[in-house]
Each structure stands twice: as structure tokens, then as C-alpha cells.
Amino acid sequence: MGSLKENKYKIVKNFLTVEERKLLCNYTEIKHATNQKEFDLVQSNTFDTKFYGDPIMDSLLLTKQKIVEKEFGGDLKPQYSFWRMYTRCAILKEHIDRPSCELSVTVFLGSDGTSWPIYMGKQPLELEPGDAVVYLGSEIKHRREEFTGDWHSQVFLHYTNANGPYKDIEKDGRNYWGLKRNAV
């Protein structure tokens, strides 16, 4: 496979250690089971749990910054994290990301074992738990077809180029890590 700049995406095997993956997968399973209000009914008609700026995931965003910078080949500014527990019939419509997601990382935490590739352009990518796709989120269209399993847990880490056109964006407009946008 070519470089991130050539293809606009790159798979990073074992982005998470086994321990990190188990911790985060267990965390998302527990949060999903106890969730009563954080559902995404906009992107699909399922009861997918979603959390923006979750403190543990924002911590992951900060912790993994150097690894992502190595893949990117330059300095980055962390913006925000977002995680989802996808459920049966979920669909990720084809889209490109907003400026705060200039460089995005999709990390596969775990699932019920059902295959569910992410498409970068027309290319389907299969990940193993703990693997990630680093991609130019505001440049390459990405999507997923309808999910046929019971659950699939992903975390998304978003960065901007510290020397690029979105360098003035700070924490995706938040005052502190671990908050939603426009929260005090």
C-alpha cells in the first residue's frame, strides 16, 4: 500500500495495544448498555450510542498524537474524539469530514465478529480489533454499507495540520478537553 499522502488513507496495524483495546471496548460496551440519552438518530434509524468529547477518548486523542504525526509526516493539533457503538442496520453515508477533521483516525475497538469494512473512496478496508485507518478526512469520501451484526465499536480521533489552513481551530471550539462543543 502507498503512503497516506498518495492514497489519502493508510492502515495502521496494532494502533492500540491489546490492553488498550480491551479497556476501551469494555468501556464502550458498558456505556452503551447504560446509555439513556446519547443516540444518533440522524445518520441512521438505529439506536447507535454516540459520545462526542468523552474524557477517556479525548485522552486517547492526546496520547496517540505522536503516532498519528509520524503517519502524517508533520505536526498536528488535536481537535476532538467521537465514539460510536453501531447496532444492526446502521449505515454510514458517504461523506467527507468538516475542517476539524482534516486528518482523521478510525480505530476499530471490537464487535460481535461481523465483518463491516469501511470504504475509502471505492476501496473496502477490513480492520482487526485495535487497527486504525488514518485518512485525510476532509478530502477522501468514506462510508460503510448497512451493518448486519449486533454491535460494532469505533472511536474516531480528529486532528488538523498545525501548519495548514485550519491551524487556528483549537479543540474544535471547546474550552477544555472532555466537553461537548459550546459547553462551559
Side-chain angles (χ1 to χ4, degrees):
M1 183 187 310
S3 72
L4 174 64
K5 299 212 180 192
E6 289 172 22
N7 293 332
K8 299 186 181 184
Y9 69 87
K10 182 178 180 183
I11 294 175
V12 179
K13 301 298 284 179
N14 302 307
F15 182 78
L16 299 177
T17 66
V18 171
E19 292 80 12
E20 288 170 332
R21 186 195 65 75
K22 286 180 180 177
L23 171 78
L24 296 173
C25 190
N26 287 339
Y27 176 78
T28 61
E29 286 182 87
I30 292 166
K31 288 282 279 192
H32 175 70
T34 60
N35 179 27
Q36 295 182 8
K37 62 179 183 173
E38 297 291 335
F39 298 105
D40 189 349
L41 299 174
V42 175
Q43 285 192 11
S44 64
N45 60 352
T46 65
F47 285 96
D48 297 347
T49 296
K50 63 161 182 79
F51 283 93
Y52 171 102
D54 184 296
I56 196 168
M57 299 305 183
D58 270 1
S59 296
L60 183 69
L61 171 81
L62 300 171
T63 301
K64 296 296 183 176
Q65 181 176 345
K66 293 296 179 197
I67 292 171
V68 179
E69 285 176 336
K70 181 180 175 192
E71 297 300 332
F72 176 68
D75 294 334
L76 296 170
K77 291 175 73 174
Q79 295 298 329
Y80 73 98
S81 66
F82 184 87
W83 72 265
R84 287 182 73 137
M85 177 70 74
Y86 293 95
T87 57
R88 186 174 303 278
C89 299
I91 296 173
L92 179 62
K93 295 175 184 170
E94 186 173 68
H95 67 285
I96 60 170
D97 295 329
R98 60 191 176 86
S100 292
C101 313
E102 184 178 16
L103 184 83
S104 294
V105 183
T106 296
V107 186
F108 179 26
L109 299 177
S111 74
D112 64 357
T114 303
S115 173
W116 199 38
I118 184 166
Y119 287 78
M120 292 291 159
K122 296 184 187 302
Q123 182 66 43
L125 305 177
E126 288 280 356
L127 301 176
E128 296 295 322
D131 292 350
V133 179
V134 178
Y135 55 102
L136 303 179
S138 59
E139 291 184 31
I140 189 167
K141 289 183 178 181
H142 47 284
R143 67 179 175 85
R144 289 181 188 264
E145 295 180 350
E146 185 173 317
F147 182 54
T148 60
D150 289 326
W151 66 277
H152 184 99
S153 185
Q154 292 279 146
V155 61
F156 309 94
L157 309 174
H158 301 292
Y159 303 86
T160 53
N161 181 343
N163 302 303
Y166 309 116
K167 65 180 180 243
D168 294 331
I169 301 173
E170 297 285 340
K171 297 183 190 86
D172 196 34
R174 302 176 292 165
N175 293 326
Y176 304 101
W177 299 112
L179 295 177
K180 293 181 179 182
R181 283 194 306 169
N182 301 322
V184 179

